[in-house]
């Protein structure tokens, strides 16, 4: 076989890999990328979904004292106490305690220590959790890992079969078609997509394959997060011991870790003679997503040790984690990741749409089974792209509309998400494709544009009051939703115009199975 035939075979193989791998996993990848993009603002979304958590800020010492007092009242015999302090974009004071397998949490007013009454919600953490495990535990982790491998393969194969796109991109030879939209957005976000996919794959592998961290970190199979803690933690003595006031130790911890840099406190075995108090430093100002910590004897207040440096393997791995979660760099980095994430979503969506547009006339001449398969692919495209946007909007709306006292309210919000997504799939199967695109885009636009109004009508933290108080975390969610809704509305309008332009005057429209064109049944 000569070199020319080898090149043709290679290109054809790469093309098939890119086409079918991109299609089958593209539906999943769009959901992963879109929820990952929203996860950039996890704390802002959680803040928006907890309107009862708006309280005046106070000093770290007062917040620690309030949390300490409340934990002594509510959970004196717990196995572990944890305190999430107001810090940067995490603005509320949260206490957590564990007793056996049970875990409870409360949100407090940092000034008075009073418990804040607010409906239960997963907030923005749901998007984070869905992003990396699809709300499916270990099975979801494996699926996300497999999708990440396919994504890397699609990037390599895409570059192999579309090498000229780099020339077209930098010479501004941009065409108005779905292939150009797919390839040009792919070139624009190529470094970002490689970074996010590789770092995400590394994170999931460490979660799925415990032998990897065991080899790298020695005796700790739990990986880098447990390296320092193992040095200072102690088993309970089962003898009583009076816990030292946490506010007395905070200045000592700040002297070790930095003024106003403590974001988390863990108290192991409170009330026991062997209790240990560990203060954790924020990671919001470093790429290495590994909290420096300082540990103290819970009874005497004597420092047991601190750790702020790590072996090279921990440093490399946690740097990859930091690059993925983008906690460093403040809002400039967050907006960069958010924008790049949205463009990456457009790249995936354009590729899925191009698949169906390219094959529309071919399947029109095929048998009924092939037309049914093509119709299913179009419906899955619509549900995967616009359906999940609608589902995410419905999730936020449910936070405001579900009754506060509904049982398992956080789970109910998640049920609304999946229920709406399923409804969008059914809708896409029953409606002609262009009409389904237009209707779902319009619904997504309405949910996004209406979010600020819903917030204003159902809470005291509407857009204008939030701006007046300087609460830009709440206002930012409202404004971003309105902006995205405007873009979706324009897109829906353009799709609707195209649908009307292509429509022929029918007696009766059949949406299934032959949907590449409108079928007239006389």
């Amino acid at each position: 076989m000569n070199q020319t035939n080898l090149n043709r075979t290679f290109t054809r193989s790469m093309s098939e890999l890119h086409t079918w791998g991109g299609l089958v996993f593209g539906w999943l990848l769009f959901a992963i990328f879109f929820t990952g993009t929203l996860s950039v603002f996890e704390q802002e979304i959680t803040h928006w979904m907890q309107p009862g958590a708006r309280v005046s800020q106070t000093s770290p010492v007062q917040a620690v004292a309030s949390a300490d007092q409340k934990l002594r009242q509510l959970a004196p015999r717990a196995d572990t106490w944890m305190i999430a302090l107001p810090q940067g974009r995490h603005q509320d004071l949260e206490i957590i305690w564990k007793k056996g397998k049970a875990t409870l949490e409360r949100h407090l007013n940092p000034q008075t220590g009073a418990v804040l009454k607010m409906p239960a919600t997963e907030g923005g953490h749901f998007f984070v959790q869905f992003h990396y495990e699809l709300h499916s535990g270990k099975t979801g982790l494996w699926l996300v890992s497999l999708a990440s491998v396919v994504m890397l393969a699609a990037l390599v194969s895409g570059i192999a079969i579309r090498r000229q796109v780099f020339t077209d991109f930098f010479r501004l030879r941009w065409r108005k078609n779905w292939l150009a939209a797919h390839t040009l957005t792919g070139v624009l976000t190529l470094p970002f997509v490689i970074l996010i996919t590789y770092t995400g794959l590394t994170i999931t592998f460490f979660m799925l394959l415990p032998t990897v961290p065991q080899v790298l970190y020695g005796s700790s199979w739990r990986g880098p997060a447990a390296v320092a803690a193992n040095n200072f933690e102690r088993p309970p003595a089962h003898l009583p011991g009076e816990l030292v006031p946490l506010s007395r130790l905070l200045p000592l911890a700040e002297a070790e870790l930095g003024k106003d840099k403590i974001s988390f406190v863990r108290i192991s075995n409170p009330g026991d003679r062997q209790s240990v108090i560990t203060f954790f430093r924020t990671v919001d100002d470093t790429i290495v997503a590994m909290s420096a910590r300082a540990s103290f004897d819970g009874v005497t207040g004597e420092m047991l040790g601190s750790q702020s440096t790590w072996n090279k393997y921990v440093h490399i791995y946690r740097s990859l984690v930091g690059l993925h979660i983008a906690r460093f760099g403040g809002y400039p980095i967050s907006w960069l990741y958010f924008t790049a994430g949205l463009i990456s979503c457009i790249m995936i969506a354009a590729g899925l749409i191009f698949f169906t547009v390219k094959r529309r006339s071919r399947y029109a001449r095929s048998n009924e089974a092939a037309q049914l398969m093509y119709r299913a692919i179009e419906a899955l495209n619509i549900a995967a792209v616009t359906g999940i946007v609608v589902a995410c909007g419905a999730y936020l709306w449910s936070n405001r509309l579900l009754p506060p006292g509904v049982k398992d309210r956080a789970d109910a919000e998640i049920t609304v998400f999946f229920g709406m997504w399923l409804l969008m799939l059914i809708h896409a199967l029953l409606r002609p494709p262009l009409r389904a695109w237009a209707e779902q885009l319009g619904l997504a636009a309405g949910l996004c544009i209406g979010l600020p109004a819903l917030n204003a009508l159902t809470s005291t933290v509407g857009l204008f009051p939030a701006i007046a108080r300087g609460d830009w975390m709440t206002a930012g969610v409202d404004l971003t939703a309105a902006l995205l809704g405007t873009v979706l509305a324009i897109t829906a309008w353009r799709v609707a115009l195209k649908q009307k332009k292509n429509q022929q005057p029918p007696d009766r429209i059949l949406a299934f199975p032959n949907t590449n064109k409108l079928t007239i049944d006389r």
Side-chain angles (χ1 to χ4, degrees):
M1 186 180 291
N2 59 35
Q3 187 64 38
T4 301
N5 289 335
L6 283 173
N7 289 338
R8 287 176 179 172
T9 302
F10 174 77
T11 302
R12 189 180 303 112
S13 300
M14 290 293 100
S15 179
E16 291 297 317
L17 172 63
H18 189 84
T19 299
W20 292 102
L23 175 69
V24 174
F25 284 89
W27 301 316
L28 182 59
L29 284 166
F30 186 91
I32 293 170
F33 266 77
F34 186 71
T35 52
T37 300
L38 295 179
S39 298
V40 172
F41 293 119
E42 171 199 357
Q43 292 165 313
E44 284 73 15
I45 293 172
T46 300
H47 184 71
W48 187 93
M49 296 179 75
Q50 294 175 334
R54 308 302 188 272
V55 293
S56 300
Q57 296 302 305
T58 187
S59 67
V61 171
Q62 179 60 48
V64 166
S66 297
D68 186 10
Q69 181 183 22
K70 188 58 64 175
L71 283 167
R72 291 173 192 264
Q73 292 176 0
L74 297 178
R77 293 182 176 83
D79 299 328
T80 306
W81 294 349
M82 289 172 282
I83 305 169
L85 294 170
Q87 175 67 237
R89 290 156 67 176
H90 181 272
Q91 295 194 355
D92 63 321
L93 175 61
E94 184 178 2
I95 58 172
I96 307 104
W97 63 94
K98 293 185 176 182
K99 180 67 175 178
K101 295 183 178 180
T103 300
L104 295 172
E105 63 180 68
R106 296 289 186 272
H107 295 266
L108 306 180
N109 184 318
Q111 292 180 327
T112 66
V115 175
L116 300 175
K117 294 182 179 180
M118 60 181 70
T121 180
E122 285 293 315
H125 181 69
F126 168 69
F127 295 129
V128 176
Q129 189 253 6
F130 185 90
H131 167 67
Y132 72 83
E133 68 173 26
L134 307 176
H135 203 63
S136 305
K138 201 165 186 177
T139 300
L141 277 173
W142 278 110
L143 285 173
V144 171
S145 299
L146 180 59
S148 299
V149 171
V150 173
M151 185 64 168
L152 290 175
L155 291 173
V156 173
S157 58
I159 293 170
I161 64 178
R162 298 288 178 187
R163 289 186 292 269
Q164 78 283 358
V165 75
F166 292 96
T167 302
D168 294 343
F169 180 85
F170 290 106
R171 291 186 177 180
L172 303 181
R173 296 174 180 171
W174 301 353
R175 299 175 179 85
K176 290 184 178 181
N177 57 51
W178 288 112
L179 176 60
H182 176 62
T183 55
L184 294 178
T185 52
V187 171
L188 181 62
T189 60
L190 182 62
F192 172 79
V193 173
I194 292 175
L195 170 70
I196 288 298
T197 306
Y198 175 74
T199 55
L201 189 58
T202 303
I203 294 169
T204 55
F205 271 3
F206 270 69
M207 299 172 73
L208 289 169
L209 305 175
T211 55
V212 177
Q214 186 175 11
V215 170
L216 294 182
Y217 309 121
S219 61
S220 175
W221 70 268
R222 290 175 291 173
V227 172
N230 283 345
N231 294 334
F232 313 124
E233 289 296 318
R234 304 180 299 192
H238 302 294
L239 296 171
E242 183 65 27
L243 190 70
V244 65
L246 301 183
S247 57
R248 198 181 89 190
L249 296 180
L250 181 63
L252 301 178
E254 289 187 327
E256 191 73 21
L257 304 175
K259 178 88 171 150
D260 297 331
K261 294 297 183 180
I262 307 299
S263 63
F264 194 80
V265 186
R266 183 182 64 220
I267 302 93
S268 302
N269 310 314
D272 189 274
R273 189 174 295 178
Q274 289 278 78
S275 59
V276 177
I277 301 170
T278 304
F279 293 85
F280 294 85
R281 189 186 190 279
T282 181
V283 297
D284 289 352
D285 55 358
T286 174
I287 291 179
V288 184
M290 188 73 179
S291 292
R293 70 281 309 272
S295 294
F296 300 83
D297 187 297
V299 176
T300 67
E302 177 187 359
M303 178 176 281
L304 300 175
S306 65
Q307 186 168 6
S308 58
T309 58
W310 323 98
N311 70 49
K312 60 182 178 181
Y313 301 115
V314 175
H315 199 278
I316 291 171
Y317 171 68
R318 297 305 297 187
S319 294
L320 293 175
V321 173
L323 286 170
H324 191 87
I325 65 176
R327 295 279 293 275
F328 64 95
Y331 279 116
I333 292 295
S334 296
W335 279 109
L336 177 63
Y337 271 59
F338 184 78
T339 304
L342 287 179
I343 298 173
S344 300
C345 290
I346 293 172
M347 178 265 292
I348 297 170
L352 293 172
I353 295 170
F354 175 68
F355 179 94
T356 56
V357 170
K358 181 180 179 180
R359 291 159 179 78
R360 183 165 293 163
S361 59
R362 182 194 310 174
Y363 281 101
R365 299 187 298 271
S366 300
N367 57 39
E368 186 173 349
Q371 291 184 27
L372 286 170
M373 184 186 74
Y374 176 81
R375 179 67 186 96
I377 290 172
E378 283 205 302
L380 286 168
N381 278 356
I382 296 167
V385 176
T386 56
I388 195 169
V389 179
V390 171
C392 290
Y395 174 72
L396 295 177
W397 274 65
S398 69
N399 175 258
R400 290 293 193 267
L401 296 180
L402 286 175
V406 69
K407 185 179 180 181
D408 298 326
R409 194 175 188 277
D411 291 336
E413 292 177 355
I414 295 172
T415 300
V416 169
F417 171 87
F418 286 108
M420 184 60 73
W421 201 2
L422 177 61
L423 286 176
M424 292 303 100
L425 174 60
I426 296 171
H427 171 268
L429 287 167
L430 296 178
R431 303 290 281 169
L434 274 178
R435 191 172 297 176
W437 278 110
E439 290 170 352
Q440 291 197 22
L441 284 166
L443 178 57
L447 290 172
C448 290
I449 293 174
L451 199 65
L454 174 71
N455 186 28
L457 292 172
T458 58
S459 74
T460 60
V461 295
L463 177 59
F464 296 114
I467 293 175
R469 288 195 305 268
D471 182 9
W472 288 102
M473 292 178 68
T474 301
V477 173
D478 280 349
L479 292 172
T480 303
L483 178 60
L484 290 177
T486 302
V487 173
L488 289 168
I490 294 171
T491 306
W493 173 68
R494 295 189 64 177
V495 172
L497 285 181
K498 184 174 182 180
Q499 190 266 330
K500 289 181 181 179
K501 182 179 178 181
N502 293 344
Q503 188 174 10
Q504 300 175 12
D507 291 339
R508 181 158 57 94
I509 297 175
L510 298 181
F512 193 91
N514 188 8
T515 58
N516 54 288
K517 58 184 179 179
L518 294 175
T519 304
I520 303 175
D521 179 19
R522 299 186 186 280

